[in-house]
Amino acid sequence: HRHLLGVAGLSPADIKGLLASAEDAVSLSRQVEKKSATLRGRTQINLFFENSTRTQSSFEIAGKRLGADVMNMAVGNSSIKKGETLLDTAATLNAMRPDIIVVRHHAAGAVALLAQKVDCSVVNAGDGAHEHPTQALLDALTITRAKGRIEGLVVAICGDVLHSRVARSNILLLNALGARVRVIAPSTLLPADVERLGVTVFRDMRRGLEGVDVVMMLRLQLERMNGSFVPSVKEYFKHFGLDDAKLAYAKPDAVVMHPGPMNRGVEIASDVADGPRSLIRDQVEMGVAVRMAVLETLGRRLPNAA
Ligand code: CP
């Protein structure tokens, strides 16, 4: 593949290959000297039209650890603010001869569109409610390291599935690797066609969490709710917030995940987020490793790659 636009374009073998190279990146990242020369001389541009803490910083660290020159485009200070379009911005950056552009955009499909207009590799760092493939890969790596496998595990994805590219990419990836995926959410926060993605739907946390190995919480994305359905935060936490009482329905060794950013006291209680079963910090560490694996894999396809 020249680009990474979504989990939908990956085979189980592609996914396993990326996870294996991410394991090597974890080892490199835990050394005192963290740098390799895999992408030396290459230029990576991070183009984020939406806010990000984890994804942007980990793509920057990942590129630098592989020896690339990384430029973070400050969209807020750019000529996009003067009305320059996405495609004109892409053509402008393309003329600077980057090797890889990492893009986050609020519109589903915008990253794929941009990929058609540039000569370099493009990585989707999140497009609207469509896909966030590196998040699903880092979640898979985190689960594999904690549980030793993905196949056969029962994973519950809970909360605002409707607005979540993280949920969509995770459902695709977990199904591809043989997990059994549940979603738990109120009907108002479920896409109409969610069952077609290969999940079992629950509308009650206690029932949905019974016997699960992995509990993945999602952020309530209030900024994407245009007044249509905005739940009361207090009511939402009561019914769908993960606290110790609801977590008790999962397997005794179940682990808890959240892609971040978290709304503490909205979808997850602080006791659980910071508790012994939380893998939230591991997810962040694995984020750097997975992004190194993705950049390295795409880098092998670049012209004149070693
Ligand atoms: N999980 C995730 O994508 O976080 P950021 O929005 O901070 O990048």
Side-chain angles (χ1 to χ4, degrees):
H1 307 272
R2 181 155 77 99
H3 308 298
L4 175 63
L5 300 177
V7 174
L10 299 176
S11 68
D14 291 332
I15 295 166
K16 286 176 186 167
L18 285 167
L19 296 180
S21 68
E23 281 290 354
D24 296 338
V26 175
S27 304
L28 178 66
S29 296
R30 288 184 177 182
Q31 290 174 19
V32 176
E33 173 57 60
K34 300 176 174 61
K35 230 164 158 152
S36 89
T38 317
L39 293 182
R40 191 167 54 202
R42 304 297 189 176
T43 301
Q44 172 188 333
I45 297 177
N46 294 336
L47 177 61
F48 279 59
F49 292 87
E50 274 191 340
N51 295 342
S52 170
T53 295
R54 282 144 286 267
T55 312
Q56 183 166 344
S57 56
S58 60
F59 265 115
E60 180 177 356
I61 290 171
K64 286 179 172 170
R65 255 172 218 176
L66 296 172
D69 296 311
V70 184
M71 190 274 267
N72 287 304
M73 176 88 187
V75 168
N77 299 332
S78 73
S79 288
I80 291 156
K81 293 286 167 198
K82 301 177 190 167
E84 192 161 35
T85 65
L86 171 68
L87 294 184
D88 283 336
T89 304
T92 302
L93 295 175
N94 188 53
M96 298 180 193
R97 297 189 165 273
D99 297 288
I100 300 175
I101 305 183
V102 179
V103 188
R104 170 170 287 190
H105 197 277
H106 44 82
V111 182
L113 182 68
L114 187 146
Q116 290 170 19
K117 306 289 176 186
V118 295
D119 301 311
C120 63
S121 289
V122 172
V123 182
N124 183 0
D127 63 326
H130 177 228
E131 278 233 40
H132 190 353
T134 56
Q135 179 70 46
L137 286 162
L138 78 86
D139 288 340
L141 183 62
T142 307
I143 295 169
T144 307
R145 289 173 67 91
K147 295 280 175 195
R149 69 195 164 102
I150 295 215
E151 192 169 4
L153 293 180
V154 183
V155 182
I157 303 177
C158 316
D160 187 359
V161 180
L162 179 65
H163 300 104
S164 180
R165 54 197 176 209
V166 173
R168 196 178 173 79
S169 291
N170 262 311
I171 291 168
L172 293 169
L173 191 152
L174 291 165
N175 272 325
L177 295 193
R180 283 182 285 152
V181 186
R182 300 178 182 178
V183 295
I184 313 174
S187 301
T188 41
L189 293 178
L190 282 170
D193 62 345
V194 70
E195 265 147 342
R196 281 175 38 198
L197 291 171
V199 297
T200 312
V201 176
F202 292 83
R203 292 178 178 79
D204 178 88
M205 280 287 271
R206 289 169 185 82
R207 276 199 206 141
L209 289 178
E210 248 172 63
V212 309
D213 298 286
V214 179
V215 187
M216 266 187 195
M217 299 309 298
L218 298 172
R219 182 172 66 87
L220 192 61
Q221 298 193 35
L222 294 167
E223 79 278 15
R224 295 193 207 269
M225 298 177 195
N226 307 316
S228 50
F229 169 74
V230 182
S232 133
V233 161
K234 213 171 142 195
E235 280 292 294
Y236 186 81
F237 182 72
K238 185 175 156 204
H239 294 289
F240 292 97
L242 186 67
D243 54 14
D244 283 317
K246 294 193 194 82
L247 183 57
Y249 285 80
K251 280 191 182 161
D253 62 349
V255 292
V256 174
M257 302 171 71
H258 192 304
M262 277 186 284
N263 289 316
R264 290 172 182 267
V266 179
E267 70 266 354
I268 190 163
S270 277
D271 286 354
V272 176
D274 304 327
R277 294 156 81 176
S278 170
L279 297 180
I280 295 169
R281 299 285 165 255
D282 304 71
Q283 288 174 270
V284 176
E285 182 185 2
M286 295 313 127
V288 176
V290 149
R291 284 156 187 142
M292 287 172 73
V294 167
L295 295 172
E296 189 167 10
T297 304
L298 293 177
R300 273 191 228 117
R301 289 200 76 263
L302 292 172
N304 306 320

